[in-house]
Amino acid sequence: MPNPHTPALLTHDWSMGYPMTLRSVRLARLHTRRRLTMWNWAGDLDDAVLVTSELVANAVLHGRVVGHELWLRQAVLEDGRLSIEVSDPVRAFPEVKEWAGGETGRGLVVVSRVAGELDWFLRAEVGKTVRARLAAGT
């Protein structure tokens, strides 16, 4: 797993806190589409929105702690890749396991297939961050 603290030059950087409710998933999708359109990001906008939606939904469903919110950060790196980070207050890492049917349980499988990279790391103050990186367009 790459070092989460390796500096990378950014061309755009944005973050926002959200309450730990399912309504935040829709808001994060809307904010992502708007932000990446404003930035004129060259990658697949629908893939970025999907990855953001899945990571925020996982944080809401599995990382909820009373009195805390989740944080979404998006940054376009110097090479054009998009970094999507979702932080929540729970220190347990997610499991990426093949989907066995049913209505839930496939979010991280989808993210791992759509994103070029998927990793996570503990945060010094509280909880963890799950990070996906998507390639820029060709």
Side-chain angles (χ1 to χ4, degrees), residues 1 6 10 15 43 45 49 90 94-96 100 102 105 125 128 131 136:
M1 181 173 3
T6 302
L10 306 175
S15 62
L45 192 59
V49 170
V90 173
E95 281 186 60
V96 179
E125 59 283 355
K128 68 175 171 305
R131 174 178 55 200

Side-chain angles (χ1 to χ4, degrees), residues 97-124:
K97 51 188 174 196
E98 288 302 314
W99 177 59
E103 291 296 314
T104 62
R106 58 185 176 254
L108 286 180
V109 173
V110 170
V111 170
S112 68
R113 290 183 181 163
V114 170
E117 299 174 40
L118 175 65
D119 62 357
W120 42 86
F121 53 91
L122 293 176
R123 293 180 15 223

Side-chain angles (χ1 to χ4, degrees), residues 43-66:
D44 188 313
L45 192 59
D46 291 330
D47 282 353
V49 170
L50 172 66
V51 167
T52 299
S53 180
E54 292 296 337
L55 293 182
V56 170
N58 275 355
V60 168
L61 294 172
H62 305 293
R64 185 178 306 180
V65 173
V66 174

Side-chain angles (χ1 to χ4, degrees), residues 20-66:
M20 290 284 205
T21 67
L22 287 174
R23 289 184 205 138
S24 294
V25 178
R26 180 176 180 273
L27 282 174
R29 281 195 305 261
L30 291 170
H31 293 157
T32 295
R33 187 170 299 280
R34 180 176 181 267
R35 181 72 43 189
L36 296 180
T37 299
M38 286 175 26
W39 289 347
N40 200 27
W41 182 59
D44 188 313
L45 192 59
D46 291 330
D47 282 353
V49 170
L50 172 66
V51 167
T52 299
S53 180
E54 292 296 337
L55 293 182
V56 170
N58 275 355
V60 168
L61 294 172
H62 305 293
R64 185 178 306 180
V65 173
V66 174

